[in-house]
Amino acid sequence: MRISTSPHDLARRAAVVLGSGLEASIIVQEHGVSVAAGSSTAAAGRCDQAEARAETGPCIDSIHLGTVQVVPVVAESAGWDAWRAQTLREGFVSALAVPAFVNDDVAVALNLYSRAPDPWDKELLTAADGYAQLAASLIALHLELAELEDATAGLYRQLSDTAAIERAVGAVMHSNDTSESEARRIIESASRNRNVTQRDVAETILRALVVTDAPPAEEQPEEQPGA
């Protein structure tokens, strides 16, 4: 099955709809596992990967606290060392994280990155919240469709526990740009902390992530005349 709106699609559309030269990304958190699920640009994606690997940052904090996290000046933010360093490296100066909740176990957060100082006026905050809620609704729909397909075709039932977990390990490695050992640690930790099986964690990760679309490519410099 392919759903036309993947996390990468959602992030790209958010950047276009919200405008103001913003770059967008989406983190999905399942059973406490944070995955950089989609981004409108490679730069925004790397920021979310750094956040997911460190397991701390404005997007993750917005989910845990259930509140919008406004970062007017990235350089002055405290407590998010890995995310802050990567965000500054990419040239962003301000950021915003907006949470939305899919169900009791799954949440999403929309991260918006700006290369201009503090563009977060009331209208933009309202629009960003609306788009985050839309993203949660679409991911909820995807999960329902994936579960329905599994019930009819037995896609995940045909996988052994080991195969399902291995696929989820690969998905986390790909999404967060992390090592195999770190991906396994994340899944094992989520299973232990939430008192669910590793297979349960793995299946929800695989259903929540739509990886049929490639992540955004690096922007290429324009050719100079006469080159």
Side-chain angles (χ1 to χ4, degrees):
M1 180 200 67
R2 184 180 189 295
I3 186 168
S4 61
T5 304
S6 77
H8 284 299
D9 291 328
L10 292 171
R12 293 183 190 110
R13 293 175 186 179
V16 171
V17 170
L18 298 175
S20 301
L22 301 175
E23 297 174 41
S25 57
I26 291 174
I27 276 183
V28 175
Q29 188 174 94
E30 179 277 327
H31 287 304
V33 177
S34 299
V35 179
S39 58
S40 66
T41 64
R46 286 190 292 268
C47 294
D48 274 17
Q49 287 175 336
E51 179 173 5
R53 288 194 300 268
E55 299 182 358
T56 184
C59 222
I60 292 174
D61 279 10
S62 75
I63 292 173
H64 289 168
L65 298 173
T67 59
V68 173
Q69 298 291 302
V70 181
V71 189
V73 182
V74 170
E76 296 177 1
S77 62
W80 303 322
D81 294 349
W83 173 85
R84 182 179 65 252
Q86 186 65 46
T87 301
L88 292 173
R89 193 175 299 125
E90 301 295 347
F92 299 117
V93 299
S94 188
L96 176 76
V98 184
F101 298 91
V102 177
N103 56 41
D104 290 342
D105 296 319
V106 181
V108 302
L110 174 67
N111 254 345
L112 297 175
Y113 294 96
S114 175
R115 300 181 189 277
D118 196 12
W120 318 117
D121 57 28
K122 182 178 180 181
E123 290 75 16
L124 185 51
L125 289 171
T126 299
D129 179 70
Y131 207 92
Q133 301 303 324
L134 174 61
S137 297
L138 290 171
I139 289 174
L141 174 61
H142 170 71
L143 286 171
E144 291 174 5
L145 291 173
E147 289 175 3
L148 176 61
E149 184 177 59
D150 189 25
T152 56
L155 296 180
Y156 289 109
R157 293 175 188 173
Q158 294 172 7
L159 294 176
S160 67
D161 289 354
T162 299
I165 292 167
E166 290 303 310
R167 286 195 181 188
V169 167
V172 173
M173 290 172 63
H174 171 80
S175 297
N176 289 356
D177 188 26
T178 192
S179 66
E180 179 181 350
S181 60
E182 179 63 12
R184 292 188 187 281
R185 185 199 65 77
I186 289 170
I187 292 173
E188 290 169 0
S189 176
S191 170
R192 183 171 58 253
N193 293 339
R194 300 302 175 102
N195 196 29
V196 295
T197 68
Q198 288 189 42
R199 184 189 177 104
D200 288 337
V201 174
E203 284 195 17
T204 309
I205 289 173
L206 293 172
R207 286 179 171 134
L209 289 178
V210 184
V211 293
T212 52
D213 283 0
E218 293 283 3
E219 293 185 2
Q220 300 297 321
E222 295 182 3
E223 290 190 9
Q224 298 299 316

